[in-house]
Amino acid sequence: QCPWGAPNTTSISCSLADVMSEQLAKELELEEENAAFPEVVAVAEGPFITGENVDTSSDLMLAQMLQMEFDREYDAQLRREEKKINGDSKVSISFENYRKVHPYDSDSSEDEVDWQDTRHDPYRADKPTTTPRKGFIGKGKDITTKHDEVVCGRKNTARMENFAPEFQVGDGIGMDLKLSNQVFNALKQHAYSEERRSARLHEKKEHSTAEKAVDPKTRLLMYKMVNSGMLETITGCISTGKESVVFHAYGGYATEDKVIPQECAIKVFKTTLNEFKNRDKYIKDDYRFKDRFSKLNPRKIIRMWAEKEMHNLTRMQNAGIPCPQVVILKKHVLVMSFIGQDQVPAPKLKDVTLSSEDMKKAYYQVLNMMQRLYKECNLVHADLSEYNMLWHDGKVWLIDVSQSVEPTHPHGLEFLSRDCRNVSQFFQRGGVAEALNERELFNAVSGFNITADNEVDFQAEIEALEKMNEDHVQNHGKKLSMFSSDGDPPIFDE
Ligand code: ADP
Ligand code: MN
């Protein structure tokens, strides 16, 4: 017995004129929809599916991307229906619960959501019509029993509607589809396990591959940004470092609260911990992260690097220091404005040949930025060199601040003195006669007055200062006043 029932063979005859007018009506409807939702058309093709970036090696990922594409269209359709139903009515019905949510496409991060608790039981209200006790309905030759295949099959089909909203049952409900009990039970079981799977899927480990720039999960995350319209296209990779990969992207359309820059840089923090191990000391001793560090798993620590970069960039932005502007942070993926033009990133200071006049100008600008970074942002860059300064628009831009710390960090002053050494050497070698030596620069930036005239004594004094501060923290629970800049609010007040 075929569970799908016999095909309906009765054909409906209609005139050509009927077909034509129906088609015309459809076309008009489509036009109307397009006019109402132009953005849906604008991003109809994700750059990761088409074009040269196409990666067909992972069936799963392709399937997920296609699903996302489908979901997006489905959601758009849902929005249209919602709008149609609600019209101008003051009371509106939300279709939000019927939106497509797939486990890999969920914004909720793996830790917070308890799916079991937040979802209703889809199997409770599954009695559409009851068959009376006697076991049959109807009269005479129209009598049907509860075992009647057709009635039972239709009933089963109708019961699919009671599955969780995110479980796709297809368009069978609208057809005269008859499901046998066996098939229905299998589907029901599947719907149930699907729901629980979404919770488990979150916990699955991310596998990052060495040869690919980013792992599939990250690519999905990036693809989602394109899919949502926030980015228009991701054009390619700018830089592959040990700890991060940077991509160029064209910005999409603005949302209510955000204007997306025309060109963006996407910094993806690598999800393998190997390279991050030796960075422990930057973050472990940073009081801003102190309470959180011990409780975290490796993936969260990597997200914290991204978070740190975001917060540090924001501080710099507020102080008017030229740096990328933060657009959005999603997990370990940070989107910021692109320094450069037409996909060409601004050159690093180490790669650009400046006139002696520009070189001098750059030096004074860097000196000023270091001072403001210290005093106004309460930050030490901690990886400052000609590699992390870009030359763009006739000025120097600071980048790469995920490892930046506050001066009171237990090693903050050592980091600052290293920054000063790099900067001083670069500009002195670059022929800037006015450039301070590293110790003078250190004093000029920090406001300390360390008089040691040689490297060894200088370092010893710095370490003594750091130790003094640590002891003070131990004894008084706060930093030394000479370290702190006025009125800098702590970033993390959760
Ligand atoms: P890493 O930790 O890998 O050094 P960076 O933040 O320094 O990470 O980025 C690596 C490279 O990517 C930089 O040297 C620079 O060339 C490029 N880059 C990073 N951010 C931007 C940006 N906002 N605009 C343009 N280029 C960028
Ligand atoms: Mn860098």
Side-chain angles (χ1 to χ4, degrees):
Q1 181 81 32
C2 172
W4 303 96
N8 193 351
T9 48
T10 53
S11 60
I12 309 143
S13 61
C14 59
S15 70
L16 180 64
D18 280 350
V19 175
M20 297 283 280
S21 62
E22 201 175 300
Q23 272 180 354
L24 182 68
K26 271 213 178 102
E27 274 167 27
L28 287 174
E29 195 183 336
L30 198 71
E31 248 171 54
E32 207 171 282
E33 282 174 4
N34 286 349
F37 298 94
E39 76 275 13
V40 175
V41 180
V43 292
E45 287 180 329
F48 272 29
I49 290 184
T50 56
E52 53 195 85
N53 280 324
V54 74
D55 173 7
T56 51
S57 62
S58 166
D59 289 346
L60 174 67
M61 202 170 94
L62 276 179
Q64 288 177 334
M65 282 179 167
L66 286 170
Q67 182 69 55
M68 245 193 236
E69 194 74 17
F70 176 83
D71 290 354
R72 194 176 51 73
E73 277 165 26
Y74 175 90
D75 288 346
Q77 175 68 25
L78 206 62
R79 265 187 285 141
R80 281 194 284 273
E81 276 170 25
E82 188 178 325
K83 211 178 141 197
K84 203 161 134 195
I85 280 203
N86 290 327
D88 296 331
S89 161
K90 286 203 180 83
V91 182
S92 63
I93 299 164
S94 169
F95 284 15
E96 192 55 31
N97 285 347
Y98 294 91
R99 282 195 61 233
K100 298 279 262 171
V101 179
H102 277 86
Y104 47 83
D105 182 29
S106 168
D107 252 346
S108 50
S109 79
E110 35 270 53
D111 349 10
E112 299 104 6
V113 183
D114 187 348
W115 296 88
Q116 255 77 62
D117 284 348
T118 54
R119 299 297 164 98
H120 66 281
D121 175 6
Y123 309 111
R124 217 174 27 216
D126 59 357
K127 281 186 194 155
T129 55
T130 49
T131 307
R133 268 278 164 81
K134 56 186 176 177
F136 61 89
I137 41 176
K139 272 187 195 153
K141 67 176 167 58
D142 292 329
I143 193 164
T144 53
T145 72
K146 67 179 167 187
H147 299 298
D148 184 281
E149 304 277 353
V150 175
V151 171
C152 195
R154 283 185 186 136
K155 224 179 266 175
N156 282 340
T157 304
R159 283 156 81 189
M160 288 199 307
E161 243 173 329
N162 297 319
F163 289 164
E166 66 276 10
F167 184 77
Q168 284 311 297
V169 294
D171 45 8
I173 290 170
M175 302 176 194
D176 189 21
L177 182 66
K178 294 144 203 119
L179 294 181
S180 75
N181 285 343
Q182 197 190 357
V183 170
F184 175 75
N185 283 333
L187 264 175
K188 184 166 136 179
Q189 208 54 49
H190 178 62
Y192 187 48
S193 64
E194 268 296 280
E195 221 185 342
R196 275 177 309 171
R197 192 177 63 96
S198 63
R200 256 182 292 128
L201 236 163
H202 281 305
E203 264 133 53
K204 254 200 181 163
K205 239 192 151 327
E206 287 157 313
H207 303 283
S208 58
T209 37
E211 69 279 5
K212 286 206 194 103
V214 293
D215 59 17
K217 251 196 146 164
T218 307
R219 264 185 288 173
L220 273 176
L221 208 64
M222 289 161 68
Y223 178 66
K224 204 181 154 195
M225 292 177 178
V226 176
N227 215 18
S228 74
M230 196 195 81
L231 297 178
E232 194 188 292
T233 44
I234 298 168
T235 60
C237 179
I238 307 170
S239 148
T240 317
K242 274 197 298 180
E243 295 152 354
S244 73
V245 185
V246 181
F247 295 89
H248 172 274
Y250 282 110
Y253 44 83
T255 51
E256 315 90 49
D257 58 330
K258 260 209 174 92
V259 176
I260 314 288
Q262 238 173 31
E263 291 184 74
C264 295
I266 309 171
K267 184 166 177 175
V268 178
F269 290 75
K270 289 214 177 153
T271 46
T272 43
L273 245 201
N274 311 350
E275 309 294 344
F276 281 92
K277 276 211 185 94
N278 53 4
R279 298 180 90 188
D280 270 12
K281 67 174 177 200
Y282 288 96
I283 209 163
K284 226 181 198 156
D285 302 328
D286 190 329
Y287 80 91
R288 291 182 290 167
F289 296 88
K290 215 158 210 156
D291 297 334
R292 304 206 277 155
F293 193 80
S294 54
K295 300 179 204 132
L296 297 175
N297 65 32
R299 255 177 311 129
K300 287 201 190 144
I301 292 172
I302 286 155
R303 278 193 219 167
M304 251 159 82
W305 286 110
E307 206 180 294
K308 223 158 116 74
E309 175 130 30
M310 176 187 71
H311 285 298
N312 292 341
L313 282 175
T314 307
R315 281 197 200 184
M316 290 159 70
Q317 195 78 40
N318 291 340
I321 294 171
C323 67
Q325 189 192 337
V326 174
V327 176
I328 200 169
L329 172 73
K330 288 258 181 203
K331 301 190 175 177
H332 57 289
V333 176
L334 177 67
V335 182
M336 54 190 151
S337 65
F338 180 71
I339 313 301
Q341 213 188 344
D342 298 332
Q343 299 187 42
V344 183
K348 302 178 179 82
L349 266 195
K350 100 175 165 59
D351 292 327
V352 77
T353 319
L354 297 180
S355 66
S356 59
E357 198 183 324
D358 273 346
M359 196 70 172
K360 193 168 136 184
K361 199 172 117 188
Y363 167 72
Y364 280 111
Q365 197 208 326
V366 170
L367 170 60
N368 176 269
M369 285 197 294
M370 287 178 84
Q371 287 174 326
R372 292 215 323 262
L373 193 62
Y374 189 96
K375 296 208 171 75
E376 289 168 37
C377 306
N378 199 32
L379 284 176
V380 169
H381 187 290
D383 192 16
L384 192 63
S385 72
E386 58 274 28
Y387 288 82
N388 284 328
M389 295 190 271
L390 305 183
W391 182 255
H392 178 64
D393 245 1
K395 60 183 172 194
V396 180
W397 299 64
L398 297 189
I399 59 162
D400 202 0
V401 290
S402 62
Q403 73 294 311
S404 300
V405 295
E406 302 202 342
T408 46
H409 181 286
H411 304 288
L413 297 183
E414 290 165 71
F415 297 147
L416 178 62
S417 82
R418 192 179 58 195
D419 285 355
C420 290
R421 190 180 320 136
N422 292 335
V423 168
S424 175
Q425 278 178 4
F426 175 76
F427 285 104
Q428 282 181 343
R429 284 176 192 161
V432 179
E434 296 88 340
L436 299 173
N437 71 34
E438 58 176 286
R439 296 187 291 279
E440 294 164 334
L441 187 56
F442 180 94
N443 284 338
V445 169
S446 66
F448 285 108
N449 189 19
I450 301 179
T451 51
D453 58 356
N454 65 79
E455 175 70 29
V456 177
D457 290 348
F458 193 79
Q459 287 303 322
E461 275 200 53
I462 285 178
E463 278 163 40
L465 274 172
E466 286 176 342
K467 184 161 186 316
M468 211 165 82
N469 181 54
E470 275 302 281
D471 291 345
H472 192 84
V473 173
Q474 294 283 313
N475 298 333
H476 300 85
K478 61 178 173 99
K479 319 267 166 187
L480 275 176
S481 58
M482 62 174 178
F483 272 72
S484 68
S485 60
D486 306 325
D488 189 32
I491 291 282
F492 291 103
D493 49 1
E494 325 171 290

